[in-house]
Amino acid sequence: MAPIKRKNPGEHEGARPEKILKASASSSKLSVPINEEPAFPRGGASILTPLEHKQIQIQATRDVLFEQSTGIKPVNGDFEDEENEEDKLGQAGSAPPKARGKRGPKKGKMVEIKDEVGVRIEGLSYKRLVPGSIVLGQVSQINRYDVALALPNNLTGYIPLTSISDTITEKVEALVAQDDAAGKEDDTEDVDLKSLFSLGQYLRAYVTSTQDGAASTGKARRHIQLSINPRLANMGLTRADVVVNSMIQASVRSVEDYGLVMNLGLEDTTIRGFMSSKEVGQNVDASKVEDGSVFFCLVTGLSANGNTIKLSSDRQKAGNIKKTHFVVDAPTVDSFLPGTAVEFLVSEVTHSGISGKIMGMLNVTADLIHSGAATSGKDLESKYNTGSKMKGRIICTFPTVEEKKLGISVLDHIVSLKANSATAATDAVAPTQMLPVSTILEVRVVKVEPGMGLFVDVGVKRVRGFVHISKVADGKVESLFESTGPYKLGSEHKARIIGYNSMDGLFIVTLEPKVIDQPFLFLEDVKVGQVVKGTVEKLMVNEHGVNGVLVNIAEGITGLVPEVHLADIVLQHPERKFKEGSAVTARVLSNFLEKRQLRLTLKKTLVNSDAEIWDSYQKLKPGLQAPGTLVNILPSGAVVQFYDSVRGFLPVSEMSESYIEDPKQHFRIGQVVNVHIISVDADEKRMMVSCKDPSVFGSSQREALKDIYVGAIIEGTVSEKTNDQIVVDLKDSGLKGLLPFEHLADGSNQKCLSLAKKIRVNQILKQLVIVSKSDSKRRIRLTSKPSLVKDAKDGKLLKSFDDVVQGAEVHGYVKNITPTGVFVQFAAEMTGLLLKSHIPEEATQLPEFGMRQNQSISTKILSLDHGLQRFLLTQKPIAEKHPTGKSELRESTPPERAISNAVDSVSTSMDDFTLGKLTKAKVTSVKETQMNVQLADGVQGRIDVSEVFDRWEDINDPKCPLKVFHRNQILPVRILGMHDSRNHRFLPITHRGKAPVFELSAKPSNQSEADSEMLTLDKVEVGSTRVVFVNNIAADCVWVNLSPNVRGRIRAMDVSDDVSLLEDLSKNFPVGSALRAKVTGVDITSSHLDLSARLGSARAPLTLHDVSKGMVLPGRVTKVMERQVMVQLSEALSGPVHLTDLADDYANVDPTAYHKNQIVRVSIKDVDAPNMRLNLSMRSSKVLSSSLPVIDPEITSISQLNVNDILRGFVKNITDTGVFVSLGSTTTAHIRVSDLSDLFLKDWKSNFEINQLVKGKIIAIDLELSHIQMSLKQSHVDKDYQAPLTFSDMEVGKIVTGKIRKVQEYGVFVVVDGSSNVSGLCHRSEMADRKVLNPKALYNEGDAVQAKILKIDQTKRQISFGLKASYFASELNPSSFLGMRSGNNGDDDSDEEIDGMNEVEVSNGILEDQKSSNEKLDSRNVQDLESDPEIENGGVAVTMENVENSRPLALGLGTVGFDWTGGLSASSETDTQSETDEEPSQPKKKRRRKAEIQIDRTGELDANGPQSVADFERVLMGQPNSSALWLGYMAFQLQLNEVTKARMIAQRAIQTINLREETEKMNVWVALLNLENTYGSDESLEDAFQRACQYNDSQEIHERLISIHIQSGNHEKADALFQAALRKYSHSPALYLNYATFILTNLSNPDRARALLPRALQSLPSHTHLALTKDFGLLEFNAPHGDPERGRTVFEGLLATFPKRLDIWNVLLDAELRRGETARARALLERVTARKIKSRQAKFFFKRWLELEEKHGDEKSQARVMAKAAEYVRVHKRDTDEAVS
């Protein structure tokens, strides 16, 4: 008998246990019976299966190829199945296994095999990641409901909301309960994950589950769910394991003034963490940290008693492990968890990784990636030495290995806990910023791992890319070789970035052409406003018809076209226009990434529009024009939708030049209208638009509108009359005014109407007064009321609040009438209130006081409120009070000058407030630029912000200097003068208006100096430094105040030395903020003051002589053109930035990304002093860092170019001779027509446009003439270019791939892929091995197929194809096209070949979790109840069993989901289409249709269940008593939102089900109660409940409804129903117990629950008291809000009363053990065994006691139990003997 072979245990990890015996972890020797498995079974047959034979053969072939290509002998000499293939890759290059043990003795004896096993170097992979694994990760994405965590080896896990911390979980549960009670859908809006986490944050995660599910594409979908709850992330840690410099995860328990109290999640809850506010980390405000936030912390110290652990989450501190902050020694190996930095001894170095030991006993390994071999490119054996000490950070655990080991990383960014950077640390740039995901680029292979993949150079320093072997090509690649093959070292390939793993520091790259050619990979790639092409995927239908179309624009990306965006007109039959599979061109309306929703439009007006895309309010300004869609029509106007969330309001007055009464008569929802912007408020996100022709209201009209003023008397010509007003053309202005009929006269309404009838069109009207005008709406209102015309002539017309004088008589007109008074309007839309009490008595008795709207009215000013600028009117005489006193007052103090309640308690008159007076003021309000104060009642003052501070150091917050002041604060002030509130001007103290506002100063220096003068412009000196305050922000400058009467200007570029702050001046320097500025220029004659806040470089304005080549300066964009951007450096210096100088990567060049007045950083490229010209550059390599990658080099002269150089440039001009391309600002190349393309272009000019980016090759250079000749041919540019196949390349028997171009009844036309439009016919007799009657049922246009050439007619140039499956049986297994494995067992895991670097979620080149999120559009918004998942491709049922009989190859190619070549245009078909496409011309004979046999398919109900109303009705006829069927019928109707029908079905069920079927009836009643609770009202639920109580057991119905309320979160209703039930059924013990449980668990009110027990004992019979009291005691133990001590008290009381009831002892014992109270349980057992109990009972308790000690005790405690038991036996025997004797 041959000995059994054994392998190293490390090699067998993860293998099948029935085939491989693992070695014991405790011994290096293994003894096994030799007769377990015969090595030579009887008959010589092999014990291996045929599949294993085949795998051995494949493995042997691979080993030979590997040895021939590399010269290295494979490490695996023995057979391993596919499951270990991944492990072999992890061991590539490791030391060969040691010799096996010798053959053992014969059968019946034991063989001992010695295994001296080395540590196996392996990386983390999906297979090794099991529930219970702990890993270190980095936050890579923050979603709405979960957080994505980047894990080592390109794995990604997800942290749901409920796996963050206990505090967050409780908050989410509370929100869910509240939202359920309110009937909301979104239950987590109040939990903002972005406030809890930050991108790049390191966290320790615990793997809770790994799922392999089936995605919709049929491929395996993997999902890793994580938890960062400290209870799980710190699992295994005890008090002793927490050592200084180790890392621990903690959640915020509470935020205190001095720091954060942290929850560590340890079993010992007495141990808490504390983190000082200074240790939270940079850029983190400890006061704003939310409870429940999770931090990954460094242990910095422990308190004296060890109960408080000092923590720090400062990553800079924790990552500094040069001298400290790493663990060398620990009490146990449990201290070493992922994230902790350690020092280890290197024990082995291979080319695939390193291994070592911590403390000489704990093994650690670093795989190929995390040992640095992948990124550095250096050989590990030369980089690291065996026996040396290194520092690294633990990144993962391997729970499945027998001998404990950990994964470690020595990568710099992980060791230092920083984000990986593509540049130096001082100028850190994220790799994805330099190379965004989805970028297409050229890569170079720098490292080849034969069975793993390729490491490539992506052009980003310090960061490489990785191409997994499954992503190298569209087909399967068996192996890769360094020196041979297309993917050898140094080879270059076209690639696409599909991801980035921040833990590995690697880009994830694919070389698959099918992925590279896709227009979009992710939803993020789709830009708003972009024109896209797609195919109709599905029509959405509701009860009104088609209400939308789903359009697929790329694999996994589907957009919704709403009904209003299907076409410019209303389609009567949209289903005829949009058929599934038809191609459409659409434009993206919006892309809501958070909800994964994409909205498109098919309106040609929008799709073909060249107008600017309005997708942001910030870039909009008045005057811009664009089309928009009407989404809502109101009586006052309409809402116009543009792109993204931008909307505008179209007033009815702006809809047309003509009068529109009802907008709905002229417009419809969904109509596209061209509008221009009237006004826009970006902050409020409001915009007003107009449909009127903007050219009608030109510059002359705008100037005229500015010139006219309210109160002017003009004349005009009547242009139009309507039902209630007259349109007047104002003379010599081109403006129009509106004159209502009521404003023609002061008299009655009849008089006004009579005058209106006499007015004719073209009549000239004189004596018209402008009563109001609106500049934004361009609206002017006129009046010809004689009273108002007279006031306008006399200057008495009220036009502003300053014109209002108390006691004056004024004339106006009625605006509105209310029961309490009348609102009277004057000019400029000023309004006063005439209260009812001030209307004559006779008028108050009349309806509406005898007045009408627009009626003329004469009143007097009763009183004024200057603060609110309101005034009251009266029609009654104003009585003069106390004439005698008044005269006496006038003699002493005029009444208008007297004041009261002065703040300084000294001043009594206005005359006391003189210039320079020191007084006091009370702050009434604090604004950005001033404080409004009160000197006395009715006496207002103002303190400008420039008159508050003396020095810059006195300002605490420069952005808001006045924040330190508050309302009602008393300030000492000095009077400086008066303030003109109308013009905001400073006035001398002698200028006293009707309502004076004093200008005051609160500067400390002004309160002490005897004579202080206000700063004036003539006192400002050039070069002096001043503290200034922002007063206004203009487009190109910032206006600042030095004092209330001195104002200066700072140019936008001189506001700060930090150019980054200049991007948003209003945000970084808000109005009111303080600046330190230097005076650069003073012009007293023109009152101009110039300053500069660039104190670090303040100097004279730049001139041409001050600049030199290479200087980097800030500039302001003054003009944006298609070919260049003009940038101003100073008032006298500006220059252009050409297209070629905008970016280092021409693909990112977009002049429209810049806007006027934007501040940018530029580099001086060239100075042409004689011509006074500058050339500027905004390339990042010029203005930021020269080390940044340059994709397109800067071409400054022809001498830089060489023949055969491949460059990119922009089309500069298109002529008849060819195309001119700009390679640089001064370098242009010419491309002849013959060099534009390898193919003949009929209309070649239509393929090019100005500023188009092209790539070409230099083919000729003439230095003398400075001529450059270039070619755009792909054969010149692409070295891998392959010429398209032609008809002559076709051979009989050749197998090709192609697309179905056309489907006819007699066959299909196929276009060969990669050909110059070579096509042929496949007759239906050659389409399948079975007879095909209808080709349209099998194929659609665009389907990808594989075909075999059967015949070629050279004369007619025709090709005949065959699609039968039998043609390809020997070529390829059809199941491979369907994504199945070729082998005997179809259930084999197809993903076992993926090693540790493969992605978790890969499907057809698309990241699976990205696809799944995109698929949510269908699953959430579209639900087709009548679709059959088995019916596809025109009604042919395709299953895995019959796939070989129904076009398997075509279906297989189709399932990939890619459009391999796209549809052929009509022009290409007519140009090069072969004659094969001609259809037979002979007429076909008509066939008589035979009657078809109708098949009864009702039997399918057994398998699928009822699928329609008819199905349910038919089944219920046979089973009328089945509540399951009735409930299914109700659920079916609820899915259709037919609540009423579901309710009716429940009533039918109750009436139909037999009375004896009580359970079935009860089920329906409960379902009805659930329905009413969810969809009905309180009244309908109460009605159903009362009827249910009548027909069923009332108590059970109460309990069922209570349960429904609890499950739906209606705790108040459940509580009320409990109380009602107790009043009715007080004899039920269970009801009392359930109510107590509900109160303790759901209401968290222990006192109420405990009060139920005395009440229950009074109501219930005595025989129930014991059981109920025991249950209440248990409730204290088990309920979350119970008190175990109170529960023990209850039980002790029972034991005192019933000491012999051993069941009570047992229940209490179980309760203590469940809570882990071992000591209490031990004491309880000792008490019960000490009592006199029967031997059988004693045996039971002694047995439980011994089990307890075996589990939690030691040998001594076990011996004590045995001694107690022996003592009991001895005493019991003695007592028995005595009793017998």
Side-chain angles (χ1 to χ4, degrees), residues 299-483:
V299 178
T300 59
L302 288 84
S303 63
N305 59 2
N307 288 337
T308 303
I309 299 176
K310 299 178 183 179
L311 305 175
S312 172
S313 64
D314 189 347
R315 284 166 52 179
Q316 186 175 2
K317 181 177 183 179
N320 184 13
I321 64 169
K322 290 185 177 180
K323 295 182 179 180
T324 58
H325 302 149
F326 62 92
V327 179
V328 179
D329 195 7
T332 66
V333 295
D334 293 334
S335 300
F336 298 100
L337 286 179
T340 299
V342 297
E343 184 179 65
F344 65 97
L345 181 68
V346 178
S347 59
E348 184 180 4
V349 181
T350 69
H351 88 281
S352 61
I354 58 178
S355 64
K357 288 185 179 293
I358 301 175
M359 300 193 306
M361 57 184 292
L362 181 59
N363 294 320
V364 293
T365 62
D367 61 4
L368 182 70
I369 303 299
H370 289 274
S371 61
T375 55
S376 65
K378 297 181 181 179
D379 186 11
L380 292 179
E381 296 177 348
S382 60
K383 185 177 181 180
Y384 304 113
N385 297 322
T386 302
S388 61
K389 287 188 177 181
M390 294 181 60
K391 295 173 184 175
R393 195 172 294 276
I394 301 171
I395 58 174
C396 64
T397 63
F398 297 100
T400 57
V401 299
E402 295 183 352
E403 184 177 358
K404 183 170 183 177
K405 69 175 179 179
L406 303 173
I408 199 168
S409 175
V410 297
L411 296 181
D412 292 338
H413 68 278
I414 293 181
V415 172
S416 59
L417 290 180
K418 296 180 180 178
N420 192 27
S421 172
T423 57
T426 56
D427 190 17
V429 178
T432 51
Q433 292 181 352
M434 301 190 66
L435 198 62
V437 178
S438 295
T439 302
I440 299 175
L441 71 166
E442 295 287 332
V443 299
R444 180 173 57 86
V445 178
V446 297
K447 187 179 181 65
V448 178
E449 286 295 324
M452 184 177 178
L454 307 172
F455 290 93
V456 296
D457 183 3
V458 296
V460 178
K461 291 185 178 181
R462 301 159 59 96
V463 183
R464 286 186 175 176
F466 175 72
V467 186
H468 190 263
I469 191 171
S470 64
K471 296 183 179 301
V472 169
D474 287 338
K476 186 175 182 181
V477 176
E478 295 292 341
S479 187
L480 304 169
F481 306 100
E482 288 189 353
S483 57

Side-chain angles (χ1 to χ4, degrees), residues 56 695 1058 1700 1744:
I56 293 173
S695 62
D1058 189 351
K1700 296 183 179 181
R1744 294 203 63 181

Side-chain angles (χ1 to χ4, degrees), residues 15 127 168 196 315 321 388 484 496 558 566 613 679 852 956 1162 1208 1358 1397 1410 1534 1560 1584 1715 1723 1725:
K127 190 183 71 175
I168 299 297
L196 299 176
R315 284 166 52 179
I321 64 169
S388 61
T484 59
R496 191 167 194 172
T558 300
L566 292 178
I613 302 300
S679 63
R852 69 181 191 280
N956 295 330
V1162 296
R1208 293 196 296 181
Q1358 293 179 345
M1397 281 303 300
Q1410 182 69 31
L1534 289 177
E1560 304 294 326
R1715 293 191 55 84
L1725 285 167

Side-chain angles (χ1 to χ4, degrees), residues 681-702:
D681 187 344
D683 296 332
E684 297 293 333
K685 294 186 177 180
R686 292 179 180 176
M687 180 170 60
M688 188 174 293
V689 296
S690 172
C691 282
K692 293 181 179 179
D693 187 358
S695 62
V696 174
F697 197 81
S699 58
S700 61
Q701 286 87 349
R702 285 192 290 271

Side-chain angles (χ1 to χ4, degrees), residues 181 847 1117:
V1117 176

Side-chain angles (χ1 to χ4, degrees), residues 1690-1704:
V1690 173
F1691 274 100
E1692 289 297 340
L1694 290 176
L1695 291 176
T1697 307
F1698 307 99
K1700 296 183 179 181
R1701 290 290 299 267
L1702 297 183
D1703 57 329
I1704 301 177

